[in-house]
């Protein structure tokens, strides 16, 4: 035998005995009964009706807003850097606007200094 070679692996564990398997055994699989299927179908139809109602209500509101001439601004712009968009006049209560303005301009100034 070559001293550099690895000896063949031998197992000291005995193999597990085979599991008993009865080919004649039956397995009960519970299937939904027709009553359960009818109840599920009724539930799904109710959810569908609710979603259709909500969709119509949303469409009605959007149409009313469009007819009134109100422009809805996208809130998530730009998606790559949303902190830049900040509408102090419309989003911040009047009594906090000055504080917010100072804080925001200080932030932008410090951001400009650090990014230079």
């Amino acid at each position: 035998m070559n001293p550099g070679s690895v000896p063949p692996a031998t197992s000291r564990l005995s193999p597990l005995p085979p599991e008993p398997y009865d080919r004649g055994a039956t397995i009960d699989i519970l299937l939904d009964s027709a009553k359960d299927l009818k109840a599920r179908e009724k539930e799904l139809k109710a959810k569908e009706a609710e979603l259709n109602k909500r969709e119509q209500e949303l469409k009605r509101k959007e149409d009313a807003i469009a007819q009134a001439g109100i422009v809805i601004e996208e809130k998530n712009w730009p998606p790559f850097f949303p902190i830049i968009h900040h509408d102090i006049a419309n989003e911040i209560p009047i009594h906090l606007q000055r504080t917010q303005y100072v804080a925001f301009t200080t932030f932008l100034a410090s951001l400009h200094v650090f990014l230079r």
Side-chain angles (χ1 to χ4, degrees):
M1 183 183 273
N2 185 355
S5 68
V6 177
T10 58
S11 176
R12 295 186 181 140
L13 299 175
S14 62
L16 294 173
E19 293 185 17
Y21 179 71
D22 183 10
R23 293 190 185 269
T26 59
I27 300 173
D28 292 333
I29 299 174
L30 298 176
L31 300 175
D32 289 338
S33 66
K35 184 179 179 182
D36 291 340
L37 288 176
K38 295 280 187 191
R40 180 76 176 140
E41 183 179 0
K42 184 179 179 182
E43 179 183 331
L44 288 174
K45 283 186 179 182
K47 284 183 181 181
E48 182 181 14
E50 176 64 26
L51 286 174
N52 287 336
K53 180 180 173 185
R54 288 172 55 189
E55 182 180 10
Q56 289 172 356
E57 180 66 20
L58 183 61
K59 178 80 170 128
R60 186 191 63 75
K61 286 180 181 180
E62 287 174 348
D63 290 343
I65 289 172
Q67 288 176 355
I70 299 172
V71 177
I72 298 177
E73 183 180 336
E74 284 291 322
K75 293 291 184 182
N76 294 328
W77 78 270
F80 56 88
F81 200 46
I83 192 75
I84 292 300
H85 173 71
H86 194 44
D87 190 0
I88 294 174
N90 292 325
E91 296 176 355
I92 307 298
I94 291 175
H95 66 282
L96 296 174
Q97 285 183 5
R98 178 152 176 78
T99 305
Q100 185 64 37
Y101 177 78
V102 170
F104 189 62
T105 53
T106 303
F107 169 74
L108 288 178
S110 64
L111 185 64
H112 176 72
V113 169
F114 287 118
L115 293 178
R116 272 172 109 206

